[in-house]
Amino acid sequence: FEYVDEADAALIRQLERGDLTTSDRAVLLLARQSSLGALGRHEEAIGVGRVVLALPGLDAGLRAFALVYVGTQLRAEGDVRGSLILHEDANAILSSRPFTRLQGMNLSCMGRLACDLRMLERARELNASASKVCDDHGDRFLAALGLANLAQLEQEVKSFSRAEQLYTEAISRFSAAHEPQYQGIYETRRATSFLEWGKLDQAFASFGAAEQSLGLVHAPTSRVFLYAAWAFAEASVGREHAAASRLAMAKEAAQRGAQGVTGLALELLGGAVELLGPQPDPTALAYWRDRAKALTPTDDEPGSTAHNLDARLALRLLERAPARHHVAACLAVLRLGAETLWFAVDEASPVDLARRGPTRRLLKTLVDARQSQPGRTLDRDALFQAGWPNERVLEEAASTRVRVAIATLRKLGLRDLLLTRDDGYLIDPGVEIRRAEG
């Protein structure tokens, strides 16, 4: 790390010169902000970025650049709302000026924030726009960021086949652009997608490829997530010593870069490794149950660090770990009234479906499938027939009705329980179903 410290000291010396123009000072500060951010020292980087934004007479392009960088680092610290404000300010500048590359970068950042906030349609729109802007400009690297964001979005909704296609394309572009850090970052994410998909051989291969790419650059923050997720994979197949070794590597990397969301992900994945041990302590089981529940994102807390794709991924892996130890606190209980006239999740208030005939029938069919064959998906045709029996409409109209009904159920409270797969929809197999008697 000596050369990093020397470079930072050199930048500080340059900033002490008395003959700097505003633009010169801004460029030097932005260089320092970038290096601090790469080291995971986001709080310091944010402070430096705010100094840039306070410079009088700052050029519009440099202001936009600082807004994008500070926004990125706020997001890394878990301040999603503050990050979004800055990226929107940058977008207002960039939309009327020919800074195409920076505009594409900013759109990618906004697309990632939309993913973090689970604004699915907005996320798809922004990331597609970002990729198009960058492709049109001939920048395959930045176009790959939009694809990578979409891959993580598809992974979160359990559309693993589509996620794999997008990850593969993004990683190929990062490789062609000679960007080993981003190649390693998203090879790690692809590995976690394989983990959730149940394809362990591919997961371990991707972890190895990620390590090889990240070994070419100084990127401690990226290695934290790589080794923590790899430790979980090793623990999940019973290789305790390998898991402990990987987790130690994650913690070592964290000494230079694990603040904010990265630190939270390390904490949660470390807990998952602990719970995957042969005999976890009952106190640890209770602790991680409560910790996971406290961090589970809710729609009224958009600034929570849990409103982040990586943090939610770590939460999902933590939820998987204690299942064999009967810690069901992370798994929801879906309560249903007679004839599915209402439903409630855990101890939430019941949601009345009495006047939502098609939606109620569709939910009943999904629940019946969940109880008879856990893990079975229902396609559009099956769900349309359940919701609108004996009706005949065009395929597009049927698809629209099913999508709207699914979106309605998610909005009413089933967001995390109602899953999307490549071949249809299903209630999460880990959810407990309780039907009211009578």
Side-chain angles (χ1 to χ4, degrees):
F1 299 105
E2 290 183 5
Y3 74 91
V4 179
D5 295 330
E6 289 174 4
D8 191 51
L11 285 169
I12 292 173
R13 286 195 299 271
Q14 289 294 313
L15 286 164
E16 291 172 349
R17 289 169 46 191
D19 60 343
L20 295 175
T21 66
T22 297
S23 293
D24 290 338
R25 184 171 297 280
V27 169
L28 289 169
L29 286 167
L30 288 169
R32 184 158 190 249
Q33 180 195 23
S34 179
S35 64
L36 290 169
L39 289 171
R41 293 161 59 182
H42 299 298
E43 290 185 6
E44 295 173 71
I46 290 166
V48 172
R50 293 201 186 282
V51 171
V52 178
L53 293 173
L55 291 174
L58 184 63
D59 173 80
L62 290 172
R63 172 173 287 279
F65 198 96
L67 287 167
V68 173
Y69 260 51
V70 176
T72 300
Q73 287 150 355
L74 282 175
R75 179 190 161 276
E77 284 294 287
D79 185 358
V80 178
R81 181 175 293 167
S83 176
L84 185 58
I85 290 171
L86 294 188
H87 284 297
E88 288 176 341
D89 288 347
N91 191 54
I93 295 173
L94 296 169
S95 60
S96 60
R97 289 173 172 79
F99 303 126
T100 308
R101 191 171 196 273
L102 188 56
Q103 183 185 23
M105 180 188 295
N106 191 56
L107 284 172
S108 293
C109 292
M110 293 176 69
R112 174 58 192 258
L113 284 166
C115 292
D116 287 335
L117 292 168
R118 298 189 294 189
M119 300 162 58
L120 303 188
E121 294 307 315
R122 180 63 172 157
R124 291 190 172 97
E125 175 189 333
L126 283 167
N127 285 302
S129 296
S131 292
K132 184 178 187 308
V133 166
C134 297
D135 263 337
D136 290 348
H137 189 59
D139 194 325
R140 290 176 60 80
F141 162 62
L142 279 178
L145 287 177
L147 296 174
N149 288 341
L150 288 172
Q152 291 180 276
L153 180 64
E154 297 297 343
Q155 177 183 347
E156 185 161 66
V157 299
K158 294 182 168 46
S159 182
F160 296 119
S161 178
R162 178 59 178 155
E164 161 62 3
Q165 293 171 8
L166 290 165
Y167 276 128
T168 300
E169 175 64 18
I171 290 166
S172 175
R173 291 187 180 214
F174 289 134
S175 177
H178 305 291
E179 288 284 350
Q181 180 173 357
Y182 284 89
Q183 190 176 348
I185 288 170
Y186 289 103
E187 193 71 76
T188 300
R189 300 315 184 271
R190 179 163 69 165
T192 64
S193 184
F194 282 134
L195 265 181
E196 293 194 284
W197 200 357
K199 298 191 173 187
L200 293 178
D201 289 343
Q202 291 96 320
F204 283 111
S206 285
F207 281 129
E211 182 181 44
Q212 185 174 7
S213 294
L214 292 176
L216 300 174
V217 293
H218 177 69
T221 303
S222 302
R223 283 198 288 273
V224 171
F225 197 90
L226 162 64
Y227 289 126
W230 200 342
F232 173 88
E234 297 285 9
S236 69
V237 295
R239 295 200 285 255
E240 297 171 40
H241 294 298
S245 175
R246 297 295 181 194
L247 192 58
M249 295 167 76
K251 291 177 179 178
E252 181 180 356
Q255 293 177 10
R256 295 290 296 204
Q259 300 178 25
V261 172
T262 302
L264 175 61
L266 174 58
E267 176 198 353
L268 297 176
L269 289 170
V273 170
E274 180 181 4
L275 295 184
L276 282 167
Q279 291 183 325
D281 187 280
T283 303
L285 293 174
Y287 171 80
W288 288 113
R289 175 195 62 201
D290 295 340
R291 182 73 171 128
K293 183 176 290 187
L295 286 170
T296 299
T298 58
D299 290 335
D300 59 353
E301 291 184 36
S304 167
T305 52
H307 278 78
N308 172 276
L309 281 171
D310 290 338
R312 290 202 298 271
L313 169 59
L315 271 173
R316 292 198 302 274
L317 295 180
L318 177 63
E319 289 170 8
R320 290 176 53 162
R324 62 182 177 178
H325 303 297
H326 309 290
V327 181
C330 297
L331 304 177
V333 175
L334 176 59
R335 297 182 290 120
L336 299 160
E339 303 299 323
T340 323
L341 291 173
W342 59 265
F343 76 84
V345 178
D346 293 328
E347 300 305 318
S349 299
V351 176
D352 186 4
L353 296 180
R355 297 187 179 182
R356 298 176 182 265
T359 304
R360 173 171 53 80
R361 291 190 292 271
L362 189 145
L363 175 59
K364 181 180 183 301
T365 300
L366 285 165
V367 170
D368 289 345
R370 159 65 182 78
Q371 291 191 298
S372 62
Q373 292 179 277
R376 173 193 171 198
T377 58
L378 295 177
D379 62 18
R380 181 209 64 192
D381 291 341
L383 291 175
F384 180 77
Q385 287 302 317
W388 297 269
N390 303 319
E391 286 196 36
R392 300 182 66 180
V393 299
L394 295 175
E395 287 188 9
E396 184 175 349
S399 295
T400 298
R401 288 194 192 182
V402 170
R403 282 200 304 272
V404 169
I406 293 293
T408 298
L409 286 169
R410 285 176 168 151
K411 186 176 180 180
L412 291 172
L414 299 182
R415 184 192 302 276
D416 296 324
L417 282 63
L418 184 48
L419 308 181
T420 302
R421 294 272 171 85
D422 292 339
D423 52 351
Y425 303 92
L426 73 159
I427 301 294
D428 192 320
V431 171
E432 180 181 348
I433 306 294
R434 294 181 187 174
R435 294 182 184 268
E437 298 181 0

